[in-house]
Amino acid sequence: MVVELTNDNLVDYFGEEKVIVVFSSTTCNACKDLVPWLHKLPDDYKVVIVDCIKNIRSVMYYPKQIKYFPTIALYLNGHFNKELTQINIIKQELE
């Protein structure tokens, strides 16, 4: 399931076992191109798209500095596990 964050509440999704967070911007073409691939991921992953301009508090849950869009992170049981790439998403190499 893919959710676009509308309230700055990323922490609410960390109760899920497997969460992929896409830190993005509405002006990022690569982010827009990635969305159809996110819908093809297995159902056991919750995917949350975070607009980093609108949801500043949620960005703080990424343990590093976001240097580019999209920055994609895998969280397992509410804890940051690793950074993913667009290739990982397309090939579904997630863990």
Side-chain angles (χ1 to χ4, degrees):
M1 170 181 239
V2 178
V3 175
E4 287 194 46
L5 205 62
T6 55
N7 299 318
D8 203 356
N9 62 337
L10 177 60
V11 70
D12 293 349
Y13 294 93
F14 288 150
E16 304 281 335
E17 182 180 352
K18 298 176 183 178
V19 179
I20 294 174
V21 181
V22 180
F23 295 98
S24 66
S25 168
T26 56
T27 60
C28 169
N29 287 329
C31 299
K32 294 173 188 173
D33 292 343
L34 185 63
V35 170
W37 295 101
L38 298 173
H39 287 280
K40 295 179 181 182
L41 294 176
D43 289 338
D44 55 333
Y45 289 90
K46 172 78 78 170
V47 179
V48 182
I49 301 172
V50 176
D51 181 340
C52 293
I53 307 304
K54 294 180 182 176
N55 300 297
I56 296 170
R57 187 177 24 181
S58 293
V59 172
M60 297 172 70
Y61 289 99
Y62 186 68
K64 304 174 187 178
Q65 181 180 6
I66 294 177
K67 297 181 181 179
Y68 55 85
F69 297 124
T71 294
I72 307 165
L74 174 64
Y75 294 81
L76 299 176
N77 297 310
H79 299 284
F80 175 79
N81 181 265
K82 65 181 178 178
E83 186 174 334
L84 299 172
T85 66
Q86 294 176 61
I87 298 299
N88 293 135
I89 298 296
I90 292 169
K91 292 186 175 183
Q92 296 190 15
E93 297 171 345
L94 306 174
E95 292 187 45

